[in-house]
Amino acid sequence: MGGTSRAAASGRRQPIVEAAIEMTARDGWAAVTMTRLAEQVGVSRQTVYNEIGSKNALADAMLAHELHRFLTAISGAFDRHAGNLVEAIHDAVRDVLDLARGNLLVRAIASATHGADTELVPLLTTQAETLLVEVKAMLAARVETYRTGLTAEQVEVLIDLMTRAVLSHVVQPTGTPAATADGLAWLASRVLEEPVRKPLRFG
């Protein structure tokens, strides 16, 4: 397949994935079919199968699509504060939670976890575990560019703590994105104030 054909194929894939996200949020995962997607996007059902494959592959593609948006927001926060890790963490947390608030797929997953759509959650949960490793690796690479004074193990603990806290607030927010960002940035600032590279007791 030549470059032009690949470009045309990828040009068809994104609208299909976006339509699936919208349909899932509106009608539930069980209502998403290749036929309905084809009608909504204006392509043949065979094109949907060629571009996506199975319905499980569609769930993976939806999650990857949304993950890219979150990673872009995180990268933007670090780019804006290349010299201040606490500010980078603050903006990354705030921007991710802002994005999650209006995110159709996140809303669909949240409703599914409350029993509205039990078929979707296992598909996304399995894939999310793999993607979480990818997110943490990206964060570790970004944090490495700052002079933290922490050991690699301590940086790993900080990233794990922040990631889990943000995910918790994505699923069940307890305050505004700005307030949560303030709290987690304060916590990070206290950790980063430690002046000596003390190893963890149980490495």
Side-chain angles (χ1 to χ4, degrees), residues 75-85 87-88 142-143 145-147:
S75 291
F78 278 89
D79 289 343
R80 287 193 304 275
H81 300 289
N84 189 320
L85 181 54
E87 289 302 318
R142 296 304 299 249
V143 172
T145 64
Y146 297 82
R147 295 174 182 268

Side-chain angles (χ1 to χ4, degrees), residues 42-176:
V43 298
S44 69
R45 190 173 67 145
Q46 189 58 48
T47 296
V48 175
Y49 277 109
N50 291 345
E51 291 295 328
I52 304 298
S54 67
K55 195 173 178 185
N56 283 13
L58 176 61
D60 288 349
M62 289 162 59
L63 191 59
H65 179 276
E66 295 305 277
L67 177 72
H68 176 72
R69 296 179 64 211
F70 283 101
L71 289 179
T72 299
I74 294 168
S75 291
F78 278 89
D79 289 343
R80 287 193 304 275
H81 300 289
N84 189 320
L85 181 54
V86 172
E87 289 302 318
I89 290 171
H90 175 278
D91 281 14
V93 171
R94 183 199 61 209
D95 294 351
V96 163
L97 294 179
D98 272 334
L99 191 56
R101 270 185 153 188
N103 189 282
L104 295 174
L105 186 59
V106 168
R107 196 160 65 222
I109 295 169
S111 66
T113 58
H114 290 93
D117 200 340
T118 53
E119 184 189 353
L120 178 63
V121 175
L123 293 175
L124 295 179
T125 301
T126 303
Q127 182 70 358
E129 289 171 0
T130 304
L131 294 175
L132 190 57
V133 173
E134 183 182 330
V135 171
K136 288 183 178 180
M138 185 271 273
L139 288 171
R142 296 304 299 249
V143 172
E144 197 176 287
T145 64
Y146 297 82
R147 295 174 182 268
T148 64
L150 303 178
T151 65
E153 291 81 5
Q154 289 166 338
V155 168
E156 187 178 344
V157 170
L158 178 61
I159 289 172
D160 185 65
L161 177 67
M162 292 293 163
T163 305
R164 290 177 187 276
V166 170
L167 282 174
S168 173
H169 282 279
V170 164
V171 175
Q172 192 171 12
T174 57
T176 65

